Amino acid sequence: MAINLSKGQKVDLTKTNPGLKKVLVGLGWDTNKYDGGKDFDLDASAFCLNDAGKAASDKDFIFFNNNQNANGSVVHTGDNRTGDGDGDDEQLKVDLASIPAEVQKVSFCITIHEAQERNQNFGQVSNAFVRIVNEETNEEIIRYDLGEDFSVETAIVVGELYRHGAEWKFSAVGSGYQNGLAGLVKDFGLN
């Protein structure tokens, strides 16, 4: 039975699920149909961050054009350009035991591709969620439904896996950015 989180809530991941090594992070969304005439292309990404909350290099930014970090412990499974259908729209696989020791946090984000050019924002997106699944058993462990709290934002930090001693925890973040992917990249210490 999955734990449903609300914004700001934190939960133990490995402590309450002993032996958990590999997780699938599924992100999904629906776009509202409107007369803007342009398709939506939302993208999931992850940033591997040090204890200062910064990515050490471009390899620590995992997305459809850089589908894994340097050691392959975080892998993006592929770009979905329409978001059609039920379930996860994009997924990342995380091998918790293999994440480099200097990485203290993995931040998961959803951005709108070419949001400014297409005049799109998260006010036109509904049913956004993130879920954590035990990759070995396919059991959903955690789910966070973002709700409809966004209007002008073009990027969202959905949630974070983070170290707490020898254990991993998950935090439901739900923090929006108006300056899209560029704002995220800058905040996480990349150009």
Side-chain angles (χ1 to χ4, degrees):
M1 182 81 170
I3 298 172
N4 286 310
L5 299 181
S6 1
K7 184 174 181 168
Q9 220 174 343
K10 296 173 170 53
V11 66
D12 282 313
L13 187 61
T14 53
K15 196 176 197 177
T16 54
N17 297 282
L20 182 67
K21 301 263 187 278
K22 295 182 178 184
V23 295
L24 181 79
V25 180
L27 297 114
W29 51 79
D30 293 321
T31 54
N32 300 332
K33 302 299 177 209
Y34 74 110
D35 59 359
K38 296 197 168 65
D39 292 333
F40 272 85
D41 179 10
L42 275 65
D43 295 311
S45 58
F47 292 85
C48 295
L49 307 172
N50 59 25
D51 55 3
K54 303 295 181 193
S57 78
D58 289 346
K59 285 300 278 180
D60 290 324
F61 171 35
I62 300 95
F63 67 112
F64 62 86
N65 270 344
N66 177 44
N67 67 348
Q68 66 180 28
N69 63 338
N71 79 340
S73 57
V74 180
V75 177
H76 192 292
T77 64
D79 191 14
N80 173 342
R81 295 192 171 173
T82 65
D84 289 342
D86 294 332
D88 300 340
D89 290 308
E90 293 190 12
Q91 299 176 328
L92 294 107
K93 293 182 177 189
V94 181
D95 184 344
L96 297 170
S98 298
I99 293 177
E102 64 274 9
V103 174
Q104 294 298 303
K105 185 187 297 183
V106 182
S107 191
F108 298 95
C109 310
I110 302 174
T111 56
I112 301 174
H113 184 66
E114 296 179 343
Q116 288 180 319
E117 297 86 345
R118 298 177 185 192
N119 200 25
Q120 297 171 343
N121 59 55
F122 274 96
Q124 300 157 326
V125 175
S126 57
N127 304 319
F129 68 87
V130 60
R131 66 190 195 111
I132 308 289
V133 176
N134 180 332
E135 195 177 322
E136 292 174 4
T137 65
N138 208 29
E139 175 194 2
E140 183 175 289
I141 303 168
I142 297 169
R143 183 180 185 93
Y144 169 42
D145 293 303
L146 272 75
E148 313 297 320
D149 298 343
F150 305 100
S151 57
V152 297
E153 294 84 355
T154 56
I156 299 174
V157 176
V158 180
E160 296 172 335
L161 286 171
Y162 66 98
R163 291 186 199 270
H164 184 76
E167 302 292 342
W168 283 95
K169 292 187 171 196
F170 181 80
S171 174
V173 178
S175 178
Y177 284 71
Q178 290 183 3
N179 46 0
L181 183 58
L184 287 174
V185 169
K186 185 176 180 215
D187 274 11
F188 291 138
L190 301 173
N191 293 323

